[in-house]
Amino acid sequence: MTPSIGVLISGRGSNLRAIIAAIEAGTVRARIAVVIANKTDAAGLDAAKAAGLPTVTMLARDFPSRDAFDQAVAGTLVQHGVSLVRSEEHTSEL
């Protein structure tokens, strides 16, 4: 089964582009289920749209707290079928 991943971006989307290329090359076996940006003008959104990926923009200032923002991001990942989040600091199941 191919895992569904979410990619969080805030700028050019260089990591997103690398992930897309690795998936296309067969180096990474995954499917990008959603790309979430925390800036409306993140250039990486164009790369996601060009690749036909669903995008969501979520601004922290639109939420009453950082925790509320983080919960909303997690909820969006779940809605798109992402079940595992990996960061430099921790891994958690959604």
Side-chain angles (χ1 to χ4, degrees):
M1 181 169 136
T2 303
S4 295
I5 62 173
V7 180
L8 282 60
I9 65 170
S10 63
R12 294 178 306 147
S14 54
N15 288 331
L16 169 65
R17 293 171 204 270
I19 293 168
I20 291 170
I23 290 170
E24 290 174 350
T27 307
V28 171
R29 290 188 351 213
R31 177 184 76 83
I32 299 174
V34 64
V35 176
I36 301 175
N38 67 349
K39 295 180 181 175
T40 57
D41 61 348
L45 289 169
D46 294 332
K49 291 174 185 172
L53 301 171
T55 63
V56 176
T57 301
M58 302 179 76
L59 307 177
R61 68 174 180 242
D62 293 338
F63 295 86
S65 67
R66 178 60 193 222
D67 187 55
F69 173 72
D70 291 345
Q71 291 298 319
V73 170
T76 300
L77 292 168
V78 169
Q79 288 172 354
H80 287 272
V82 175
S83 60
L84 183 70
V85 174
R86 172 76 169 95
S87 73
E88 293 290 316
E89 296 151 6
H90 68 280
T91 299
S92 60
E93 292 186 39
L94 299 176

